[in-house]
Amino acid sequence: MGLKASSSLLCLTILLGVSSIVSAVNITRALEKYPEFSTMVELFGKTELAPIINKRQTITVLALSNDAIGSISGRPEEELKNVLMNHVVLDYFDELKLKALKDRSTLLTTLYQSTGLGQQQNGFLNCTKTNGKIYFGSGVKGAPLTAEYITTVFRNPYNLSVIQISMPIVAPGLGSPVKVPPPPPMSSPPSPSPKKAAVTPAPGPAEEEDYADSPPGAAPETAPASAPSEDGSPAPAPGNAGKKKMAAADEVEPPTSASNTGLTFGAVLVLGFVASFAGF
């Protein structure tokens, strides 16, 4: 019995030790794998907030990328410390829990509130879900919701969660507010390319046969010119054919007076000969 009790106690001790290691909160180790948050890790060390955060059992850190945190990194150390404490929530939130929120506002308690220095709710954060997006802002009445949830960077369920937001949250009384960056300029749409003139395709073989078989009156205006005649002269236009024939008939000249006189003299000679033969 003593041996079994000793073995059970040893197993329980090992289990508790492992669970304490697994559940330990270490914000530095959680973010050291993400170089885009290296400035925030440095500021946690500079303001001596890292050991205070690591003592907590349940923490959600609203992380800022190096670009986003640049707007507050140069502030006085005490002011910077208070602002950063307002980015440490004393509860566990990850993407699943945030998306499960209803479309309403939720008040979150921060590490700054635990110092007893919070006034007019500047130690609380307002988390609001609207139109499928999640925004964070100061819990002070009338404070804007300007920080948008981007993604969950790291999570150790119910102990430590690191979620990324778009910009710092500076509560009234903790420093000058951060201006919302302007939206990126909209690129103008490309100008439409000039339309090409429509090219009429040449008629295909089937169309040419239709033109050949169609009656003269139905031929299109673009019909080819008629072929030259066999004698080499160009074929007359349809409208001038009748005029040409009439001109040919008029070309025969009427008999002149000289030709009429010749005929009369010949007739007299014939009658003279006939009279002479009759006299004989």
Side-chain angles (χ1 to χ4, degrees):
M1 293 294 293
L3 183 59
K4 289 184 178 181
S6 300
S7 300
S8 300
L9 183 60
L10 179 61
C11 292
L12 182 59
T13 303
I14 294 174
L15 182 60
L16 290 175
V18 171
S19 62
S20 62
I21 295 173
V22 171
S23 62
V25 172
N26 193 313
I27 187 62
T28 304
R29 291 180 183 176
L31 288 178
E32 66 183 0
K33 298 179 181 179
Y34 305 95
E36 63 269 28
F37 300 104
S38 59
T39 302
M40 195 167 196
V41 173
E42 292 175 4
L43 295 179
F44 277 150
K46 177 181 178 181
T47 56
E48 299 180 353
L49 282 176
I52 298 175
I53 294 173
N54 293 338
K55 288 179 181 179
R56 294 281 176 170
Q57 293 296 316
T58 304
I59 288 290
T60 298
V61 176
L62 307 185
L64 297 163
S65 66
N66 297 340
D67 294 334
I69 205 172
S71 58
I72 61 171
S73 59
R75 300 193 180 196
E77 185 172 330
E78 189 63 27
E79 178 181 339
L80 179 61
K81 182 177 182 179
N82 293 335
V83 172
L84 289 178
M85 282 195 290
N86 223 26
H87 288 70
V88 180
V89 179
L90 303 182
D91 200 352
Y92 179 85
F93 288 93
D94 57 9
E95 184 174 7
L96 295 177
K97 190 173 179 180
L98 288 173
K99 289 187 174 181
L101 294 175
K102 296 182 180 180
D103 290 351
R104 59 182 179 84
S105 297
T106 303
L107 208 60
L108 309 178
T109 305
T110 69
L111 186 61
Y112 179 73
Q113 180 65 22
S114 66
T115 62
L117 301 176
Q119 297 178 359
Q120 299 180 352
Q121 294 189 322
N122 62 1
F124 295 92
L125 293 182
N126 183 355
C127 175
T128 299
K129 181 181 179 183
T130 175
N131 296 328
K133 293 185 177 181
I134 302 168
Y135 298 92
F136 295 89
S138 171
V140 177
K141 186 177 180 179
L145 298 172
T146 55
E148 182 179 355
Y149 167 79
I150 298 177
T151 187
T152 298
V153 179
F154 174 88
R155 67 189 189 99
N156 182 8
Y158 309 110
N159 292 115
L160 174 62
S161 175
V162 179
I163 61 177
Q164 183 182 0
I165 58 175
S166 59
M167 62 177 293
I169 302 169
V170 181
L174 298 185
S176 302
V178 179
K179 295 182 179 180
V180 180
M186 296 180 62
S187 58
S188 57
S191 57
S193 57
K195 296 182 179 180
K196 297 182 180 179
V199 179
T200 305
E207 295 177 352
E208 293 179 354
E209 292 177 2
D210 292 342
Y211 291 157
D213 296 338
S214 60
E221 294 180 2
T222 56
S226 57
S229 59
E230 294 180 358
D231 57 358
S233 61
N240 297 331
K243 294 181 180 180
K244 286 286 184 177
K245 291 181 181 180
M246 292 177 66
D250 293 341
E251 287 177 358
V252 181
E253 298 180 358
T256 62
S257 59
S259 61
N260 291 338
T261 305
L263 291 174
T264 304
F265 181 74
V268 172
L269 288 179
V270 172
L271 291 175
F273 280 114
V274 171
S276 63
F277 279 112
F280 289 108

